[in-house]
Amino acid sequence: METQIIELEKKYWQGMENHNYEVVKELTRFPCIIAGKHGVQNVDEASFKKMFESGEGAKIKVINISGTETQMIGENAAVIAYLIELGIAGDEQKPPMKCACTSTWVKENENWVCVLHTEVELSQQ
C-alpha cells in the first residue's frame, strides 16, 4: 500500500511536469488544501485549474525525489513526506529548487486522491 502512495505522488508530479491537467485533476480531491510560500489556501476545482494554467510558461522538471516517508492511517488514508529537486525545463543556468513536501491521500470510491499538499523551499546551505 505504501508503494502505491509513492507511485501516486510520482504520477502527480509527472502530470505537473508534462502539464497534463487531466492527470492532476484525476488525482486531486476538490476542494483541496495547499500550503506553501504563498500561505494556506482552500482551493476549489475552478481556482485550481486557473492556478495550474498560470504556470504554463515555466515547465518544471522533476530532477529527483528522495527521503520518502509514508504512513498508512487505516485502510483509506495515507500521508507521505519527501524531498524533491525541481528545475525549469530549458533553463539550466538557474540552480534547481529543493523542497520538502507532504501530501495526504484518501481513498474515495475505490480511487486514491490527494486532499492536502504542502511544499516549502529548503534554504541553501
Side-chain angles (χ1 to χ4, degrees), residues 54-112:
S54 73
E56 221 171 320
K59 288 193 72 167
I60 63 166
K61 175 154 180 51
V62 177
I63 298 168
N64 188 37
I65 294 176
S66 63
T68 306
E69 296 288 340
T70 59
Q71 188 174 67
M72 298 303 299
I73 304 168
E75 293 180 19
N76 297 318
V79 292
I80 184 171
Y82 55 91
L83 300 175
I84 191 165
E85 193 173 353
L86 301 168
I88 302 297
D91 188 357
E92 284 74 34
Q93 293 182 336
K94 188 173 181 181
M97 177 174 67
K98 294 179 182 178
C99 298
C101 298
T102 64
S103 294
T104 301
W105 291 83
V106 296
K107 193 173 189 180
E108 289 184 338
N109 304 319
E110 300 304 312
N111 294 312
W112 285 96

Side-chain angles (χ1 to χ4, degrees), residues 10-66:
K10 287 179 179 178
K11 183 178 178 182
Y12 196 98
W13 277 107
Q14 188 174 32
M16 295 293 283
E17 187 175 44
N18 295 331
H19 207 73
N20 187 333
Y21 180 72
E22 290 305 312
V23 168
V24 175
K25 181 180 88 168
E26 172 187 300
L27 295 170
T28 306
R29 181 184 175 274
F30 296 103
C32 62
I33 298 173
I34 301 171
K37 65 182 179 181
H38 298 295
V40 176
Q41 302 172 63
N42 194 339
V43 182
D44 63 19
E45 187 175 348
S47 299
F48 186 88
K49 186 171 185 181
K50 187 175 180 181
M51 288 168 49
F52 184 88
E53 290 173 348
S54 73
E56 221 171 320
K59 288 193 72 167
I60 63 166
K61 175 154 180 51
V62 177
I63 298 168
N64 188 37
I65 294 176
S66 63

